[in-house]
Amino acid sequence: MYTEQGRGTFVGPKSAPQSPRRVPVYQQIANEIIGEIKAGAYAPNRLIPSEKTLEQRFDRAPGTIRQAVAHMRELGWVFTVPQKGTYVSKPEDWPEG
Amino acid sequence: MYTEQGRGTFVGPKSAPQSPRRVPVYQQIANEIIGEIKAGAYAPNRLIPSEKTLEQRFDRAPGTIRQAVAHMRELGWVFTVPQKGTYVSKPEDWPEG
DNA sequence: GGGGATTTGTACGTATGTATC
DNA sequence: TGATACATACGTACAAATCCC
């Protein structure tokens, strides 16, 4: 049973047996970079590769790369300083820990 | 004096006399809709116009409208249910109050 | 159940602006 | 000055979930 704001309360699983639902490309890219951050490839307060560089590495359109970076930003893994670059957040700002 | 995470601490104004910096179109659109929400044009837990409708109303590209909606979402004015639409948040979730 | 319309989500590619170095 | 880097804005296409007959 769950509630959807403004629509009422419903009974039953929200999406059947949790459909596998494909993972968007931008999330796959984000996950890969996050893995590298956790592995220590990019240190806290240090720049990750530029969006341009990531475009080439993943061979994806600018918008897709921007979405990936935005996703990591929302999760707290990185922060961006305009016209400078995107930095790895302090570990205490990382999710689940 | 101010600090930029990862770069150090600096003295002086960050951008001279705080340049007026133009307001992006997506924020202008968001501000206009937020004004209408505050004015009661769209009630809490009710749908705001679809992105398609907003495109026509503001005569802007889809991406710009999506950014405007995303902006309102980040600020807490609305929430989106995929494939259903974007709803006005409960007033207690609105910013500054 | 079927089919179509609606609506948001994802992804592409391009151009230009603006701040930083 | 020039190169780099992110921000904004445009337009297009298709996917996927929902809703309404």
Side-chain angles (χ1 to χ4, degrees), chain A residues 58-79:
Chain A
F58 293 101
D59 193 28
R60 291 293 178 173
T64 304
I65 297 298
R66 287 190 65 78
Q67 232 180 328
V69 174
H71 188 62
M72 293 190 290
R73 201 157 41 219
E74 285 162 15
L75 295 177
W77 289 100
V78 301
F79 63 97

Side-chain angles (χ1 to χ4, degrees), chain B residues 45-57:
Chain B
N45 285 328
R46 286 297 191 165
L47 285 169
I48 65 171
S50 75
E51 297 185 359
K52 180 122 193 139
T53 301
L54 294 175
E55 281 173 36
Q56 296 164 348
R57 166 173 167 191

Side-chain angles (χ1 to χ4, degrees), chain A residues 9-79:
Chain A
T9 298
F10 304 85
V11 178
K14 203 162 186 171
S15 52
Q18 273 297 348
S19 54
R21 290 213 44 174
R22 97 181 201 293
V23 177
V25 172
Y26 77 86
Q27 280 186 27
Q28 294 178 29
I29 293 174
N31 288 338
E32 189 162 330
I33 298 174
I34 288 169
E36 294 169 352
I37 291 174
K38 287 195 280 193
Y42 311 119
N45 285 329
R46 287 296 193 166
L47 285 168
I48 66 171
S50 74
E51 296 185 359
K52 181 109 183 153
T53 300
L54 294 174
E55 282 173 35
Q56 296 165 349
R57 168 175 165 191
F58 293 101
D59 193 28
R60 291 293 178 173
T64 304
I65 297 298
R66 287 190 65 78
Q67 232 180 328
V69 174
H71 188 62
M72 293 190 290
R73 201 157 41 219
E74 285 162 15
L75 295 177
W77 289 100
V78 301
F79 63 97

Side-chain angles (χ1 to χ4, degrees), chain B residues 22 24-26 60-62 64 67 83-84:
Chain B
R22 96 183 200 290
V25 172
Y26 76 86
R60 292 292 177 174
T64 303
Q67 228 177 332
Q83 278 70 51
K84 290 224 193 92

